[in-house]
Amino acid sequence: GLTRALSLPAAQWDARAINLGSGTKLSIRELAELVLSVCAKGPAGSVENAPAREGDVAHSLADITLAKTLLDFIPSKDLKDGLSAIIHT
């Protein structure tokens, strides 16, 4: 996905953001626990709850519609495998 996105002629993407992701909703807490789990710090590790602040992102969901349209992008790894590959390289 990333290699194909980087080689796409500028005229095709017209300076628009092309999101590459799983297309699956994930809370920030779930992401933090996943990162800790991949880093072998345990499933809960040191994730702490705090009151939400104005402007905080509650859930993250990449809209991969443009990537599918322009790049024929289909997520090929789940997030845990992708994080593991990045963290352990």
Side-chain angles (χ1 to χ4, degrees):
L2 182 57
T3 304
R4 193 142 183 225
L6 292 174
S7 63
L8 191 67
Q12 278 189 279
W13 59 272
D14 193 28
R16 293 174 286 174
I18 301 174
N19 292 317
L20 301 178
S22 67
T24 304
K25 185 170 81 170
L26 185 71
S27 73
I28 301 305
R29 179 175 187 84
E30 290 168 326
L31 177 59
E33 289 176 349
L34 185 59
V35 169
L36 288 172
S37 148
V38 168
C39 292
K41 303 289 185 195
S46 60
V47 176
E48 296 179 19
N49 286 325
R53 298 174 296 179
E54 186 176 334
D56 276 357
V57 175
H59 292 86
S60 178
L61 174 60
D63 179 355
I64 60 174
T65 305
L66 190 57
K68 286 180 177 180
T69 302
L70 294 179
L71 308 172
D72 295 322
F73 176 73
I74 299 170
S76 61
K77 287 188 178 186
D78 71 8
L79 182 58
K80 185 174 184 176
D81 291 341
L83 283 173
S84 184
I86 291 168
I87 290 170
H88 297 295
T89 16

